[in-house]
Amino acid sequence: MRNHEVTARQPLLDEDGYLREPGWSKRQVQVYDRSKIKAPAFRIKEWDYYLVLNEDFAGAFTISDDGYIGLQSVSLLNFKEGWEHTETILNPFTMGRLHLPSSSEEGNTVYHDKRLHMEFRKEGDRRRILCRFRDFWQGKELECNITLREPMMDTMVIATPWKNKRAFYYNQKINCMAASGSMRYDNRTYTFDPAKDFGTLDWGRGVWTYDNRWYWGSGNCMIEGKPFGFNIGYGFGDTEAASENILFYDGKAHKLDDVTFHIPADDYMKPWRFTSSDGRFEMDFVPVLDRAARTAAVIIETDQHQVFGRMSGKAVLDDGKVIELKDLMCFAEDVHNRY
C-alpha cells in the first residue's frame, strides 16, 4: 500500500538488522537503537541539521557522525546581498564517538573543539541552537543563540529500506518551528522574528549504500494566520512503502504522493518547476542563491547544490483546500554523495 502509515510503537529494526515496517509516521513511533544495527560502525550515519530562514538571511547548522568521517558545518547566508559562507570541520573515524541521541525528542547534540563549540539542546517544547565559531570567515567570529518553539504538531518521519539490503534511512523533518534569537557576525546582528520566521530540523540515522543522489526541498510561512510548511524529496532507497512528500497546515499533516523536481540541466540558477503525481503540489521556483559545495577526501566525495529561492504556485490539503504561495523564500537541493 502506497504511503503506508506506521502507527504502532516498536523497534525500528528486526533481529537481523532489517527495517520491521517501512513507511511514514507523524512522530518517531519506531525506536532507533544503534546497537541493533548489523553493519560495521564505519557505515553508520547519524546527523542533526537545522535550517533557520527568513526573507533576507538564514543560518544552517550540522553536527554529524558519518562513520569513518564526522562533518560539522555552519552556514551564514545573506539573500539581499547575494552571498553565503559555509565553514566545515572534518573529523576522521568518528564511528559513534559523538554520541548523538537516539531520538529527536530528548537529549542534547554537542560538538566542541578549539575553533567550534556547537550545541543543539532540547528543552521541553523549545529547541536551542548555540554556536560559537572562531575564525569563521575572514578571521571573524560567528556567534548564534537561536530558539525554536515546537508545540504539539505533526512531523514527517520516514523509514525507507534499500531493497534486499540491511541499509536503511530513518529520518524526521520537523517544520514550522517559530524562530527567535539571533546570529552575530562582522559587527552585524541577524535577528529572527517568531511571528514570521521559522526553523526546520532534519534528523537522520541510518546505514546507506555508498553512492546516492537525493533531492530535498522545504519551506515555511504563515497562511491566513496559521503556520504552513512543506517537505518534498526523493532519491534514497526503495520508496515503495511511502514518499516523504507532505504538507503541514496549522499543525496537521497532509500526505502527498510523488513530487518531481524539474531542474535545468545547464544552470542551477535558472527557474525550476515542481510537479506532482496527484496534482497537489504544482510550483514554480526562481533561484536567488546557490549554496554549492564540493568535498573530496580519499574515498569520500560530495557534490551539493542547495538552492535558495522564491516559490509560487498551489498546494492542496486533504480536504481540498488550496494553499496559494507567492514568492515564498525556501530551498530545494540536488546532492550527490559517495561515502
Side-chain angles (χ1 to χ4, degrees):
M1 177 181 173
R2 181 63 163 161
N3 282 328
H4 169 67
E5 183 178 359
V6 180
T7 58
R9 188 167 180 82
Q10 61 186 292
L12 177 69
L13 304 177
D14 66 18
E15 295 76 9
D16 297 318
Y18 293 94
L19 283 178
R20 284 180 180 271
E21 189 176 355
W24 77 281
S25 53
K26 296 172 184 175
R27 308 293 299 177
Q28 285 186 3
V29 295
Q30 300 191 76
V31 180
Y32 172 79
D33 183 345
R34 183 185 174 96
S35 70
K36 302 300 183 184
I37 297 176
K38 305 296 184 181
F42 65 80
R43 290 190 58 211
I44 300 173
K45 293 174 171 46
E46 302 179 326
W47 71 95
D48 291 10
Y49 168 86
Y50 284 93
L51 175 69
V52 191
L53 169 73
N54 68 19
E55 287 287 311
D56 299 326
F57 55 85
F61 310 87
T62 303
I63 297 178
S64 72
D65 183 334
D66 294 329
Y68 41 71
I69 196 165
L71 187 151
Q72 324 313 328
S73 179
V74 177
S75 299
L76 177 63
L77 306 100
N78 187 316
F79 305 129
K80 292 188 77 172
E81 298 178 8
W83 58 262
E84 65 87 16
H85 183 72
T86 299
E87 197 70 19
T88 300
I89 294 174
L90 299 178
N91 317 107
F93 303 108
T94 45
M95 294 194 291
R97 289 189 290 109
L98 297 187
H99 303 292
L100 272 67
S102 60
S103 167
S104 70
E105 297 176 359
E106 59 184 9
N108 299 327
T109 301
V110 180
Y111 177 82
H112 180 71
D113 66 20
K114 292 181 179 179
R115 281 186 68 200
L116 172 63
H117 183 88
M118 188 155 56
E119 295 186 37
F120 304 150
R121 296 182 184 173
K122 182 70 167 68
E123 301 174 348
D125 67 348
R126 302 289 195 274
R127 295 178 182 272
R128 294 191 64 197
I129 302 169
L130 304 174
C131 174
R132 183 179 182 186
F133 208 137
R134 297 179 177 87
D135 190 18
F136 173 71
W137 191 23
Q138 300 174 336
K140 299 166 185 173
E141 183 173 280
L142 173 70
E143 285 189 278
C144 305
N145 188 336
I146 299 167
T147 298
L148 305 178
R149 180 175 177 270
E150 181 195 356
M152 287 298 297
M153 59 187 186
D154 293 340
T155 72
M156 175 64 219
V157 181
I158 192 82
T160 300
W162 273 259
K163 192 165 288 187
N164 302 320
K165 296 181 184 293
R166 288 194 180 96
F168 67 92
Y169 170 62
Y170 189 49
N171 180 247
Q172 181 179 36
K173 303 294 199 312
I174 304 179
N175 283 65
C176 300
M177 292 186 287
S180 58
S182 64
M183 307 180 294
R184 294 177 56 195
Y185 172 74
D186 193 20
N187 295 317
R188 297 172 67 179
T189 301
Y190 301 83
T191 301
F192 293 103
D193 179 354
K196 60 184 181 63
D197 300 339
F198 294 96
T200 298
L201 170 62
D202 171 15
W203 182 99
R205 308 290 186 263
V207 175
W208 303 350
T209 53
Y210 175 69
D211 191 335
N212 294 283
R213 185 172 187 172
W214 72 79
Y215 304 89
W216 176 35
S218 182
N220 304 292
C221 64
M222 297 297 291
I223 298 288
E224 299 175 352
K226 299 176 181 179
F228 170 82
F230 67 85
N231 184 82
I232 53 175
Y234 55 96
F236 268 118
D238 179 3
T239 60
E240 182 178 348
S243 80
E244 58 182 280
N245 302 311
I246 199 165
L247 307 174
F248 300 100
Y249 183 66
D250 195 22
K252 301 300 182 183
H254 301 258
K255 194 71 183 66
L256 305 177
D257 207 332
D258 293 312
V259 173
T260 302
F261 291 41
H262 302 275
I263 306 173
D266 58 338
D267 187 352
Y268 282 94
M269 292 300 291
K270 289 183 178 179
W272 301 20
R273 286 190 309 114
F274 298 87
T275 60
S276 52
S277 60
D278 52 15
R280 294 177 56 192
F281 194 88
E282 305 292 320
M283 298 287 174
D284 294 315
F285 179 71
V286 179
V288 171
L289 184 65
D290 179 8
R291 192 185 71 81
R294 293 192 66 132
T295 302
V298 193
I299 62 172
I300 297 165
E301 182 180 353
T302 69
D303 183 5
Q304 58 181 300
H305 291 268
Q306 185 181 32
V307 180
F308 293 81
R310 301 188 184 279
M311 188 172 281
S312 301
K314 70 169 187 176
V316 182
L317 304 183
D318 289 344
D319 63 1
K321 179 181 175 65
V322 177
I323 302 294
E324 298 281 354
L325 299 183
K326 178 64 174 175
D327 294 332
L328 168 64
M329 181 60 77
C330 59
F331 81 91
E333 69 179 25
D334 175 3
V335 179
H336 190 183
N337 277 355
R338 295 185 177 95
Y339 68 89

